[in-house]
Amino acid sequence: MNLIILLSVLSLLPAGFSAEKKIVLLAGKASHGRGEHEFKAGSHLLKKCLDAVPGVTIDLHTNGWPKDVSAFEGADAIFIYSDGGGGHPFHQPERREIIGKLMAKGVGLGCAHYAVEVPKGPSGEAFLGWIGGYFEPHWSVNPHWDANFEKFPEHPITRGVKPFKIRDEWYYHMRFRDGMKGVTPILTDLPPKSTLSRQDGPHSGNPAVREAVEKGEPQHVMWAAVRENGGRGFGFTGGHFHKNWAAENFRKIVLNAILWSAKIEVPEKGVECSLTESDLREQLDVKK
């Protein structure tokens, strides 16, 4: 009798259904000095934590764009932690088209730190659709500062996350969808005016961001977005310093977001994972 019930349930599931979820992690090439932009090492830490989540397969690729696009087959979500700007792995038109087709199917997408920046134009417009916002040169800025997160919205991404304060290269004054349509701020703080002590430039300052900070407008450094087709995306601007992954709440909110983007139920207490000093030293890039 139990077998008959099981077969009946299975017959109601859509074709190609699989209870196992696949998340593709893309780690960028070596960048910056030791302990900074450690995309490979940071992604390995995230994989170590996500490997413990039941029913999830984590497929990690290093050095940016995967050698074979078949890596994306069956993916429920993609998370990219890499350099961005004009060298962003998704900026090339043919690659942007590949990712766009995956987004059209409802695949989730998460971008961390420099990977939230792409040039204004086709790539910028694509990111607005995919994850709800991006770092736009001459609009957004990238100072180092101590962000203090005291309150969080009620959202699966914030489950189990407690208030925390941490220094990072927190990008802010992101370019978001008009009216923040479908976008939910996750981490928000008001940067000190000292973050705009540099002269105006593509990453350092501009009249619009100076006016916003002067007015005391809170800045969102992490956000979640839902597309019209139900696909999910998020942006997280921290992640410059590798040591920050040792901070439980910093790490947990990203792990939660990755699961959420893949439409996986986030545990009530969030993704719990313990890391050691040895874990943090593994997979570091060879740098001068």
Side-chain angles (χ1 to χ4, degrees), residues 149-169:
F149 306 114
E150 299 180 326
K151 297 180 181 180
F152 311 104
E154 186 174 339
H155 193 282
I157 291 177
T158 63
R159 289 178 185 169
V161 179
K162 299 177 181 178
F164 66 102
K165 181 178 182 179
I166 198 164
R167 187 174 187 79
D168 207 315
E169 187 180 34

Side-chain angles (χ1 to χ4, degrees), residues 50 156-161 251-261 264 266-267 269-272:
L50 293 171
I157 291 177
T158 63
R159 289 178 185 169
V161 179
R251 180 177 69 247
K252 178 177 289 190
I253 206 162
V254 174
L255 292 168
N256 288 353
I258 294 173
L259 290 189
W260 176 82
S261 70
I264 299 171
V266 179
K269 296 182 179 180
V271 180
E272 298 188 309

Side-chain angles (χ1 to χ4, degrees), residues 192-212:
K193 294 180 181 179
S194 60
T195 58
L196 296 175
S197 60
R198 299 175 293 177
Q199 295 182 346
D200 285 356
H203 298 85
S204 56
N206 56 76
V209 69
R210 294 183 190 283
E211 180 180 357

Side-chain angles (χ1 to χ4, degrees), residues 32-48:
H32 285 55
R34 188 167 177 81
E36 302 176 349
H37 287 212
E38 294 285 358
F39 304 130
K40 180 177 68 174
S43 295
H44 272 279
L45 290 177
L46 295 175
K47 182 181 186 303
K48 177 182 177 65

Side-chain angles (χ1 to χ4, degrees), residues 144-278:
H144 291 201
W145 55 291
D146 298 299
N148 188 21
F149 306 114
E150 299 180 326
K151 297 180 181 180
F152 311 104
E154 186 174 339
H155 193 282
I157 291 177
T158 63
R159 289 178 185 169
V161 179
K162 299 177 181 178
F164 66 102
K165 181 178 182 179
I166 198 164
R167 187 174 187 79
D168 207 315
E169 187 180 34
W170 293 108
Y171 305 165
Y172 69 85
H173 203 241
M174 298 292 103
R175 176 66 75 185
F176 292 110
R177 294 175 185 166
D178 291 341
M180 298 290 284
K181 184 178 180 181
V183 179
T184 301
I186 300 296
L187 291 179
T188 302
D189 193 20
L190 179 61
K193 294 180 181 179
S194 60
T195 58
L196 296 175
S197 60
R198 299 175 293 177
Q199 295 182 346
D200 285 356
H203 298 85
S204 56
N206 56 76
V209 69
R210 294 183 190 283
E211 180 180 357
V213 173
E214 186 64 35
K215 289 181 177 179
E217 296 178 3
Q219 298 297 315
H220 313 310
V221 299
M222 184 182 190
W223 64 93
V226 178
R227 297 176 230 127
E228 291 185 358
N229 67 358
R232 300 173 177 182
F234 73 90
F236 175 78
T237 75
H240 181 85
F241 299 114
H242 182 63
K243 64 182 181 181
N244 285 351
W245 293 116
E248 180 182 2
N249 295 293
F250 179 96
R251 180 177 69 247
K252 178 177 289 190
I253 206 162
V254 174
L255 292 168
N256 288 353
I258 294 173
L259 290 189
W260 176 82
S261 70
K263 299 182 180 178
I264 299 171
E265 183 67 18
V266 179
E268 184 179 348
K269 296 182 179 180
V271 180
E272 298 188 309
C273 175
S274 298
L275 298 176
T276 66
E277 285 294 327
S278 178

